[in-house]
Amino acid sequence: MFLLKTTAVLLKRNVLELPHLQGTNIINIEHLRCISTLPITKNLVLMSKEKKKAPIKSLKLSPDQNRPLVVMPTWLMAKEKHIKKYANFYLDYGFDVLNISVTPWQLLWPVKGTQVVAKDILKFLQINKSYSPLVVHGFSVGAYLWAEVLVRLAAERSLYQPIIDRISGQIFDSAADITELVIGVPIAVFPSNKVMQNALRSYLLYHMKKFDKVATSHYVRASQMYHTNLIRVPALIFCSEKDPIGAVRSNQRARENWESNGTKVYWKCWDDSAHVGHFQKHPKEYLDTLRNYLDKLDLLANRDKIQIKI
């Protein structure tokens, strides 16, 4: 009981919140490339090869961007150095990347957490209409966050139809469904502490039973929207037989549901890679699959020139 209370206090106090950048920074990275990062909100950070400007208290960028954008909701507790490996791929092809993170607390209390972030995502996309086309590349619980976006899109379809029309691709890596929440979150938060993993797992089971109206019911609704998926552009799914968090069975169910509504689904499943570890384990195959998918959708510029060093 003490461990359960301690875990709940840590989450409530946001001790586990991810750090976010302040101001616009230029970060030097390999190959003499650089990334300009612009925090939009505490959860949204824009990554680009060019410096960006945003007026205070406004999500509007100046000038208009007129380039493709990747909407990238990442996995829980994702480190910046790992996110940059994916961002670099897109930046080299002329995309900007909207990196989106959520904290454990925001995940546990969706009404005041993930749903607020989902609203900010749509507000940013709505205000910055010149970002087109859009590609969604979600990881792990980032797929759930995107599902909260889908809930809002469905609820106000007429308002957000222009955003839907700009989406040309959707990629999901190790997507974690609601059924895997109690498995994945403890490992992400306490990767090396089995005692705290078990404590958090027990708390999550309690949390989902106790707070159905303000938490669990929202997870279920988002999961339903993810599997229904009103975005009908071709999709790419990465998963692994070894991954208990982004389980093959739930990803396969999503694939079948999407295909039944007419969505073309490309599927890449490995036998041996860990959760959100497909790129690390199979870098060349991962990038080739991603590149071929985007190429089929005619979303890559300078496709013959770019050679990513792994």
Side-chain angles (χ1 to χ4, degrees):
M1 182 59 67
F2 172 75
L3 285 175
L4 289 178
K5 290 182 179 179
T6 302
T7 303
V9 169
L10 285 173
L11 293 169
K12 185 175 181 180
R13 292 181 178 177
N14 290 326
V15 172
L16 300 172
E17 284 194 8
L18 299 175
H20 62 279
L21 300 172
Q22 299 292 335
T24 302
N25 305 298
I26 300 295
I27 304 174
N28 292 324
I29 57 177
E30 60 182 359
H31 308 304
L32 300 180
R33 292 177 293 173
C34 64
I35 296 179
S36 170
T37 62
L38 176 66
I40 305 298
T41 69
K42 184 171 67 174
N43 301 95
L44 277 59
V45 176
L46 186 66
M47 308 175 78
S48 178
K49 282 193 170 184
E50 300 177 353
K51 277 191 174 183
K52 305 294 184 184
K53 298 179 181 179
I56 297 176
K57 297 182 180 180
S58 172
L59 301 184
K60 172 66 176 174
L61 298 177
S62 179
D64 289 343
Q65 302 307 298
N66 298 311
R67 66 174 59 211
L69 176 72
V70 177
V71 180
M72 188 178 286
T74 57
W75 61 99
L76 202 62
M77 313 300 285
K79 295 182 180 180
E80 182 183 333
K81 66 179 181 179
H82 296 142
I83 296 169
K84 287 194 298 183
K85 292 181 179 180
Y86 297 93
N88 287 338
F89 171 86
Y90 287 107
L91 296 179
D92 278 341
Y93 281 108
F95 289 80
D96 282 352
V97 174
L98 184 64
N99 174 33
I100 308 157
S101 62
V102 294
T103 68
W105 185 92
Q106 289 172 317
L107 183 64
L108 288 181
W109 303 102
V111 175
K112 295 183 179 180
T114 50
Q115 291 178 7
V116 175
V117 179
K119 182 179 179 180
D120 287 341
I121 293 170
L122 287 174
K123 183 177 180 181
F124 178 83
L125 297 178
Q126 189 176 40
I127 290 176
N128 296 284
K129 297 180 176 65
S130 62
Y131 268 131
S132 184
L134 304 175
V135 173
V136 179
H137 193 149
F139 301 84
S140 188
V141 297
Y144 156 68
L145 176 58
W146 180 250
E148 290 287 9
V149 172
L150 294 176
V151 171
R152 296 192 67 88
L153 287 176
E156 300 181 83
R157 183 72 178 261
S158 59
L159 175 63
Y160 293 123
Q161 187 62 46
I163 294 177
I164 296 173
D165 293 340
R166 284 156 56 201
I167 299 174
S168 296
Q170 50 185 336
I171 303 125
F172 295 99
D173 182 323
S174 307
D177 203 354
I178 179 62
T179 53
E180 283 81 43
L181 180 68
V182 297
I183 301 174
V185 173
I187 296 173
V189 176
F190 300 112
S192 303
N193 191 324
K194 294 291 185 181
V195 173
M196 291 305 295
Q197 283 179 22
N198 291 332
L200 180 52
R201 187 172 295 111
S202 297
Y203 175 79
L204 288 173
L205 290 170
Y206 164 80
H207 183 89
M208 293 177 70
K209 182 178 180 180
K210 178 71 173 179
F211 302 106
D212 178 75
K213 291 184 178 180
V214 295
T216 309
S217 62
H218 296 279
Y219 302 147
V220 173
R221 175 58 175 159
S223 178
Q224 292 171 341
M225 290 303 301
Y226 180 77
H227 285 275
T228 304
N229 197 2
L230 56 83
I231 309 299
R232 302 297 165 83
V233 300
L236 171 61
I237 294 177
F238 290 113
C239 61
S240 170
E241 295 283 353
K242 187 180 178 180
D243 183 7
I245 303 170
V248 170
R249 62 181 180 275
S250 60
N251 279 278
Q252 181 62 38
R253 189 168 73 253
R255 176 189 185 182
E256 292 170 356
N257 289 333
W258 296 353
E259 289 179 335
S260 70
N261 66 33
T263 300
K264 173 67 176 178
V265 179
Y266 298 91
W267 177 266
K268 184 61 182 177
C269 184
W270 287 276
D271 295 327
D272 56 351
S273 48
H275 185 61
V276 200
H278 316 313
F279 180 33
Q280 181 180 7
K281 183 75 174 181
H282 306 280
K284 185 179 186 304
E285 196 172 2
Y286 188 101
L287 290 181
D288 285 346
T289 303
L290 178 57
R291 187 182 292 107
N292 290 337
Y293 163 76
L294 295 170
D295 199 25
K296 289 181 190 306
L297 303 182
D298 198 26
L299 290 172
L300 297 184
N302 304 317
R303 59 181 61 84
D304 296 326
K305 183 179 70 174
I306 305 299
Q307 293 294 328
I308 306 295
K309 182 178 180 181
I310 300 169

